[in-house]
Amino acid sequence: QVQLVESGGGLVQAGGSLRLSCAASGRTFSISDMNWYRQAPGKQRALVATITGGGITTYADSVKDRFTISRDNGKSTMFLQMNSLKPEDTAVYYCSAVTFGFGRVWGQGTQVTVSS
């Protein structure tokens, strides 16, 4: 199986930056695409960014040009650099991965709070 653990969340003022990390363990060779999702209070979980096994990235329109997704395959770690944060970015951020043989797996989430 594959386990994912997020870190790096916290409280930041609007305009500030945070860097989230997602550490994968277990059968990490089975991981293909990885994603960041977020869920704000009272809203459905939404896709924020995707990075494929080949390094192709895509972003939600709401975070394009502010957030950068990356991964270090050698260390089985994924990152989300978040700049120019806005109060509407406040949410629980989840790391997710598509795996061969184990389906989609999720981390436990990390809270990001942006104050105005």
Side-chain angles (χ1 to χ4, degrees):
Q1 289 187 345
V2 174
Q3 296 80 39
L4 303 175
V5 178
E6 302 97 333
S7 61
L11 173 65
V12 64
Q13 288 189 333
S17 299
L18 282 174
R19 189 190 196 209
L20 304 183
S21 298
C22 172
S25 61
R27 297 178 180 265
T28 58
F29 59 84
S30 68
I31 295 175
S32 59
D33 296 356
M34 298 187 76
N35 319 92
W36 286 100
Y37 285 78
R38 67 186 181 186
Q39 187 166 18
K43 295 188 177 181
Q44 290 188 330
R45 191 171 298 187
L47 179 63
V48 174
T50 297
I51 185 165
T52 68
I56 297 172
T57 60
T58 56
Y59 297 92
D61 286 343
S62 59
V63 306
K64 206 170 290 184
D65 299 325
R66 298 189 298 122
F67 290 10
T68 302
I69 189 172
S70 61
R71 65 194 285 180
D72 181 339
N73 289 326
K75 296 183 179 180
S76 300
T77 306
M78 179 177 65
F79 305 96
L80 186 68
Q81 178 65 43
M82 305 186 295
N83 298 328
S84 303
L85 283 161
K86 305 175 181 179
E88 51 264 44
D89 294 318
T90 295
V92 177
Y93 283 72
Y94 296 91
C95 167
S96 183
V98 176
T99 69
F100 296 109
F102 307 106
R104 178 173 289 280
V105 295
W106 295 88
Q108 83 287 351
T110 185
Q111 177 70 46
V112 171
T113 303
V114 184
S115 63
S116 57

